[in-house]
Structure formats: C-alpha cells, structure tokens
Amino acid sequence: MINVLVVDDELPAVEELAFLLGKDERVGKILRATSGSDALKALASAPVDAVFLDIHMPAVSGLDIARAIAGSSRPPAVVFVTADEDHALDAFELAAVDYLLKPVRAERLSRCVGRISELRDGGAAPEMITVDQGGTTRMIRRDDVTYVQAQGDYARLHTAEASYLIRVPLADLEQQWADAGSV
C-alpha cells in the first residue's frame, strides 16, 4: 500500500481527491494539507510514498514544494494535480511522475496510482515526450501512447485522451523505441 499526501489550497479539492484515492485499494494512509507550509510540516512528520500537489497556492506553490523535497534522500513521487496545463514542462523538469488535469477522472487517477506503485517497487521512471498542442508545450508519457500513425514527415501519437502531431518521422520513432517493441 502507498501512503500519500494531498495538497491544495482549496479544501473541497483536497477532499475530492482524497475521496477518489480512498477508493483505490493500493492506497493506504491519506494525509491532507491546505497550504504549502502545512504540506512541508506534514512531510517532515510522516513519510509518504507520493505527494499530489496543486501548482497554484499562495506563498508556497506546488512547484516550490517539489523543489524542496527533490533533494531529500528518498523523495516521494510527485504528481501535480492542476487545472493549468502551462506548467507541465516545469513539472517534469522536477521529475514529476504524473500531471493530472482537474477535474480528475477516476480511471486516470487509477493509472497514476499504478505507476507510483511500480516506481516504489523498483520500476524505471517513465520516458517523457514533448509535444505541442495548440501553441502549448506539454509532456506526455511514452507508455500512454496507444498507437502511432505516419503523417508525411511527422508522426501522430494517440493516447486515450488526445492525439499529438510531432515533428519526428515514423521511421525515426521506430528506431528510438525499438526496445519497447513495434511502434
């Protein structure tokens, strides 16, 4: 079982995410914090396997918390839970395990908890792919790609949520992803 900390400056958002996490049998203790400083205090008092962070909070943001815990000897997995897609690159530069958009869907959260469990059990960190979508740069996980289509000199990556056109020919992706099987 994984123990988690849910951090958001809006109590209803904390309670909603805690409720969804509580329905997953892989999740044990669920700590809650409604500010960045409360989150840091909670992390100092009880070890957790994962921290679910809102990015935008007054005083100490979710990004600040992720930076603070990144240097610890055994940092918890960091998952950003936000309505803001604009900080995905910042999040993954801080080695975030996942980036969930609000409102959080139960099936998406379940996949995230599975990834955290795999990492805790010694699994490898996910490979991230930079994509552009409507002028916004996002990071997606390679293991979220369900299939790839060739589109001229580009490739279209399809996930359960969306599809993304990347400026990499399909033949190049096949070589890069050879270790994962066929594209």
Side-chain angles (χ1 to χ4, degrees):
M1 294 197 117
I2 62 171
N3 295 320
V4 302
L5 171 62
V6 177
V7 185
D8 196 307
D9 61 321
E10 297 178 15
L11 184 59
V14 170
E15 293 302 329
E16 172 73 15
L17 187 54
F19 172 77
L20 291 172
L21 286 164
K23 293 170 72 174
D24 193 314
E25 71 274 355
R26 297 168 293 185
V27 176
K29 186 190 290 188
I30 303 170
L31 303 175
R32 297 162 174 83
T34 54
S35 72
S37 59
D38 287 346
L40 293 172
K41 289 175 192 169
L43 288 166
S45 66
V48 295
D49 300 300
V51 181
F52 289 79
L53 296 168
D54 183 25
I55 287 181
H56 298 290
M57 295 185 290
V60 180
S61 74
L63 294 170
D64 294 332
I65 296 167
R67 284 185 198 98
I69 62 177
S72 64
S73 60
R74 190 170 171 241
V78 173
V79 176
F80 287 101
V81 184
T82 182
D84 184 4
E85 289 187 33
D86 294 339
H87 291 282
L89 285 176
D90 297 329
F92 287 108
E93 285 175 2
L94 292 168
V97 170
D98 216 333
Y99 195 89
L100 303 175
L101 292 176
K102 294 177 183 178
V104 176
R105 295 189 342 256
E107 64 276 2
R108 181 70 176 85
L109 182 60
S110 179
R111 285 198 319 263
C112 176
V113 170
R115 290 173 179 148
I116 293 165
S117 296
E118 288 172 17
L119 280 176
R120 192 191 63 179
D121 296 339
E127 180 182 340
M128 303 307 296
I129 304 162
T130 304
V131 297
D132 290 321
Q133 185 178 39
T136 301
T137 301
R138 294 190 56 199
M139 300 293 288
I140 62 169
R141 296 169 56 106
R142 184 172 100 174
D143 59 0
D144 278 344
V145 176
T146 54
Y147 68 98
V148 181
Q149 284 180 306
Q151 284 199 263
D153 289 337
Y154 299 94
R156 181 166 295 280
L157 308 178
H158 294 270
T159 67
E161 288 82 27
S163 69
Y164 308 94
L165 190 63
I166 61 172
R167 295 180 176 139
V168 177
L170 186 58
D172 290 355
L173 273 184
E174 286 177 326
Q175 289 177 343
Q176 293 172 19
W177 294 0
D179 64 321
S182 61
V183 175

